[in-house]
Amino acid sequence: MASATVTIVAVVLGVIVVAGRTGEAEPSEMRSPSATLGEALSASTAPAPLPLEEPKLTGFNGDQPEGFLLTQIPVGYEVQAASGSTLVLAKAGDQTPWESFEGKLIVSLASPEAGVDLSAAPLTVHDAPAMLSVDAEASILRYVDNGRAVILQMWNTVGLTRDQLVQFAGSLSVTSVAAPSRG
């Protein structure tokens, strides 16, 4: 056996950690310091970003928008526009036109001719089947409320989880004044 010093260098969350052992070592345990450092550096990865706190829903205390009844709203959001067929929620202070949907939640009624089959949908809103589709920019939740087909579009930068989006939809009701848009 040879006398050796074994030094292990590792990178943990961006901090170099050095641990060593001095004493008798088998030849198979001895390595060059550069190989050990190289292995440690090649095995390291950039620190994982900290998870962001999920946006939360809060009670809605504003004037009820035409055609809809809100009981919850994402924290930091407000009603930007409501027409009886469309409801737009945006971050407080958002000055973009309501027709610009980026970064917003949009609730609209589908015309009865849209005919979306929700019978096999895996989610439920208001104790009825609901279907969620997600792409790189937006999530769209389709469901029926008070006999009306509802389309809830969320720009993904809003950041609600699937469960929070379904919870928000469940806290939203379509009133008898609401009507699908035409045109």
Side-chain angles (χ1 to χ4, degrees), residues 82-99:
S83 67
S85 63
T86 304
L87 169 64
V88 179
L89 303 177
K91 284 186 179 180
D94 184 333
Q95 297 298 312
T96 61
W98 71 268
E99 300 93 344

Side-chain angles (χ1 to χ4, degrees), residues 6 9 13 17 26 41 44 50 66 80 82 94 102 105-106 114 125 159:
V6 177
V9 178
L13 296 176
V17 178
E26 295 292 326
L41 293 176
S44 72
L50 296 176
E66 180 185 351
Q80 186 180 43
D94 184 333
E102 187 171 344
L105 284 155
I106 301 92
V125 173

Side-chain angles (χ1 to χ4, degrees), residues 17 24 35 40 54 80 82 91-92 101 108 112 118 138 153 167 175-176:
V17 178
E24 298 296 319
E54 293 179 359
Q80 186 180 43
K91 284 186 179 180
F101 294 159
S108 57
L118 299 175
Q153 301 173 64
Q167 180 183 349
T175 70
S176 60

Side-chain angles (χ1 to χ4, degrees), residues 116-132:
V116 178
D117 179 18
L118 299 175
S119 60
L123 302 171
T124 59
V125 173
H126 297 292
D127 296 321
M131 181 172 41
L132 179 67

Side-chain angles (χ1 to χ4, degrees), residues 2-26:
S3 178
T5 299
V6 177
T7 303
I8 299 172
V9 178
V11 178
V12 179
L13 296 176
V15 176
I16 297 177
V17 178
V18 179
R21 178 174 63 132
T22 303
E24 298 296 319
E26 295 292 326

Side-chain angles (χ1 to χ4, degrees), residues 11-148:
V11 178
V12 179
L13 296 176
V15 176
I16 297 177
V17 178
V18 179
R21 178 174 63 132
T22 303
E24 298 296 319
E26 295 292 326
S28 63
E29 291 181 285
M30 293 193 290
R31 301 184 132 172
S32 73
S34 62
T36 304
L37 179 59
E39 287 173 6
L41 293 176
S42 67
S44 72
T45 58
L50 296 176
L52 298 176
E53 184 177 322
E54 293 179 359
K56 306 262 189 277
L57 297 172
T58 188
F60 178 72
N61 297 318
D63 292 336
Q64 290 297 331
E66 180 185 351
F68 302 92
L69 183 68
L70 285 171
T71 59
Q72 290 184 328
I73 191 168
V75 171
Y77 279 71
E78 63 186 7
V79 174
Q80 186 180 43
S83 67
S85 63
T86 304
L87 169 64
V88 179
L89 303 177
K91 284 186 179 180
D94 184 333
Q95 297 298 312
T96 61
W98 71 268
E99 300 93 344
S100 172
F101 294 159
E102 187 171 344
K104 300 176 185 178
L105 284 155
I106 301 92
V107 182
S108 57
L109 299 181
S111 65
E113 300 83 40
V116 178
D117 179 18
L118 299 175
S119 60
L123 302 171
T124 59
V125 173
H126 297 292
D127 296 321
M131 181 172 41
L132 179 67
S133 57
V134 179
D135 67 25
E137 293 183 338
S139 299
I140 300 174
L141 182 65
R142 291 176 168 81
Y143 61 98
V144 175
D145 181 33
N146 291 326
R148 301 208 181 101

